[in-house]
Amino acid sequence: MDYPNDQAPGAPVRSGIPEHGRIPKYYAVKAEIAVLVDELGEGNLIPTERDLSERYDVARETVRQALRELVLEGKLRRQGRGTVVAGPKLEQPLSLASYTEGVRRQGRTPGRTLVGLDRFPCPDVLAAETGLTRGEPVWHLERVLLADDERVGLESTYVAVARAPRLDSDFEPDSSFYAYLHEQGIGFGDADERIETVLATPREALLIGTPPALPMLLIHRVSRDTQGRPLERVRSLYRGDRFSFTAHLKE
């Protein structure tokens, strides 16, 4: 198979064009709009559906489908009654670093909004997954994740009350939970992590401020301290149009 000399590494092979050469009309329009998006730059308003349909001589529904995909891919975002060029996705490292550190590395301001902090006996399923003792008191900390005041995710953290007995009084909900644990003399040793693609529930979509049909990246993490003891269980839901994840691999 021949590849264009200017084929970008990581780009779809032959720009996603099937071998038989026939592509859906909306995809051709999507490719044209993508070029326009690069020319306009972040934050600029793109032409209306009517203007785009006239420019490319296609039906408005064809333009609408192309725009929907570009929004889902994070290249465009809705703003009021218009659509603007989105900024680059946030790159979050797959490591034992906090969300705060990952966002700050990219020159953005991290933040969190408290949804709730509850205390209850550890249920069987959580005990089996983490190694905690069934019935022991645990905290559940739920927060909306922010980047420059934009809602980008939802995080649920479960931790034994014995590890953070004053979480409800000493901890600032908009700060880093990892930094708080370090201040308590607790260090992270290792973690198991699993990533999957999901759709948000209606409640989650409302909290994050996204349509329920927007794909989400869901990370499950079970962490242990430096002595190998159970530390936390985290469920982090990230907007698929605003996040990508990176990892450094070494044999």
Side-chain angles (χ1 to χ4, degrees):
M1 180 184 293
D2 294 328
Y3 296 93
N5 291 330
D6 60 351
Q7 174 86 41
V13 174
R14 296 180 55 186
S15 298
I17 300 173
E19 273 67 19
H20 56 56
R22 298 187 299 274
I23 63 173
K25 185 174 290 186
Y26 88 89
Y27 190 89
V29 173
K30 175 184 170 184
E32 295 281 0
I33 297 175
V35 173
L36 177 63
V37 165
D38 290 338
E39 293 172 351
L40 288 174
E42 180 180 351
N44 285 302
L45 193 69
I46 68 167
T48 64
E49 288 181 4
R50 179 177 178 179
D51 290 339
L52 290 170
S53 65
E54 292 177 356
R55 176 185 296 208
Y56 302 121
D57 193 25
V58 295
R60 288 183 66 172
E61 180 53 39
T62 301
V63 170
R64 196 169 294 127
Q65 185 175 356
L67 294 178
R68 275 198 298 265
E69 289 205 358
L70 290 169
V71 169
L72 288 175
E73 292 174 4
K75 294 181 174 64
L76 297 173
R77 61 182 172 85
R78 307 295 186 187
Q79 182 172 290
R81 300 185 63 181
T83 304
V84 301
V85 178
K89 289 187 178 184
L90 289 160
E91 292 186 1
Q92 189 73 357
L94 292 174
S95 66
L96 279 174
S98 72
Y99 168 79
T100 299
E101 295 169 13
V103 173
R104 279 180 178 159
R105 269 197 222 95
Q106 295 167 81
R108 307 285 294 275
T109 302
R112 296 169 180 83
T113 300
L114 180 66
V115 177
L117 175 61
D118 303 304
R119 174 175 169 160
F120 53 84
C122 181
D124 288 336
V125 63
L126 183 60
E129 189 176 11
T130 61
L132 295 172
T133 303
R134 176 183 178 275
E136 74 169 294
V138 295
W139 295 114
H140 172 226
L141 173 66
E142 186 177 35
R143 298 179 294 174
V144 174
L145 302 175
L146 308 173
D148 290 343
D149 294 324
E150 177 188 12
R151 289 179 285 174
V152 293
L154 183 67
E155 183 180 77
S156 289
T157 302
Y158 299 85
V159 62
V161 171
R163 305 305 298 271
R166 298 177 59 85
L167 188 66
D168 57 341
S169 58
D170 291 351
F171 178 64
E172 293 294 334
D174 63 347
S175 65
S176 167
F177 180 61
Y178 281 21
Y180 173 77
L181 290 180
H182 281 300
E183 290 170 1
Q184 309 305 308
I186 300 174
F188 283 81
D190 68 295
D192 295 315
E193 203 159 69
R194 175 167 56 89
I195 305 176
E196 58 183 308
T197 305
V198 298
L199 296 178
T201 66
R203 175 181 178 272
E204 290 168 337
L206 184 63
L207 286 170
I208 303 172
T210 59
L214 181 70
M216 296 281 179
L217 294 168
L218 174 60
I219 293 187
H220 302 271
R221 174 185 284 186
V222 177
S223 304
R224 291 166 288 273
D225 64 16
T226 52
Q227 283 74 50
R229 296 175 298 181
L231 187 50
E232 62 163 2
R233 199 285 190 203
V234 183
R235 181 185 190 277
S236 300
L237 193 64
Y238 296 93
R239 288 177 52 169
D241 64 332
R242 301 300 298 128
F243 271 90
S244 65
F245 289 87
T246 62
H248 174 69
L249 306 178
K250 185 177 181 181
E251 188 174 357

